[in-house]
Amino acid sequence: AVSISTVGFNVDLGGIGKGYIIQEVMDYIISLGISHAFVEIGGDLKVQGGLPDGSFWKILIDNGNKGQKSFFIHTGSVSTSGLFTKKFNSFTQDIKIIDPNTLSFKNYYKRVTVIGSDLAVCDSLSTACWNVPLLKLQDFFHSFDNYIFDIDY
């Protein structure tokens, strides 16, 4: 539970909420005995067991004007954070990640994608890396050897 006693203060769990929810849904699907599954919400996803024919899931990520980037995954998680514009009918919303120290957003990267086993961790890492210069991230990457970081500048 989150408790806030300061008036005008808000907490947005959007940076990790989707990853946690998808992870919980996949855990439930697996508990039902389903061996091949794909769960996605807003670009974050979790796959289990590959495709029924044994092949890997092909995951495509929009790489802006560079086209699409593809990853092949049998079982695992993918989370992407970046400068996105989401369009719903005539409504357009720019998505930005705010640096909590400066209350502004940085343009270090166009996209940060993290691939690993736990989607809640991938989601947290892709969001956390967003506002940190690459030189500062180098040591950080070594703390998560089982995760793949793919960054587009």
Side-chain angles (χ1 to χ4, degrees):
V2 175
S3 175
I4 301 170
S5 60
T6 304
V7 175
F9 182 80
N10 295 311
V11 174
D12 178 1
L13 298 177
I16 62 170
K18 289 185 296 184
Y20 175 78
I21 291 168
I22 294 169
Q23 185 72 44
E24 291 295 308
V25 169
M26 184 60 81
D27 289 347
Y28 177 71
I29 288 170
I30 292 169
S31 77
L32 297 175
I34 297 171
S35 55
H36 306 280
F38 181 109
V39 179
E40 183 269 342
I41 299 175
D44 290 343
L45 59 97
K46 178 95 177 164
V47 297
Q48 176 67 34
L51 294 168
D53 67 2
S55 62
F56 285 40
W57 297 94
K58 182 178 183 180
I59 310 301
L60 296 174
I61 296 175
D62 183 8
N63 222 17
N65 58 5
K66 296 179 183 178
Q68 292 180 327
K69 187 159 196 172
S70 60
F71 299 95
F72 294 88
I73 301 173
H74 184 269
T75 298
S77 306
V78 179
S79 177
T80 298
S81 296
L83 286 175
F84 301 108
T85 299
K86 294 187 178 184
K87 295 182 181 181
F88 304 99
N89 296 328
S90 62
F91 176 75
T92 301
Q93 178 183 9
D94 288 325
I95 307 300
K96 295 179 177 70
I97 299 171
I98 305 298
D99 180 338
N101 297 315
T102 64
L103 299 179
S104 64
F105 69 94
K106 304 288 185 196
N107 285 322
Y108 292 122
Y109 318 110
K110 294 179 183 172
R111 176 191 52 79
V112 176
T113 298
V114 180
I115 302 169
S117 58
D118 188 306
L119 185 54
V121 173
C122 290
D123 202 7
S124 299
L125 290 173
S126 69
T127 302
C129 290
W130 178 251
N131 278 308
V132 180
L134 187 59
L135 290 176
K136 290 186 178 182
L137 286 178
Q138 296 296 337
D139 292 333
F140 178 77
F141 293 153
H142 297 297
S143 300
F144 296 91
D145 288 337
N146 295 327
Y147 289 82
I148 298 167
F149 294 81
D150 185 75
I151 299 175
D152 181 33
Y153 302 93

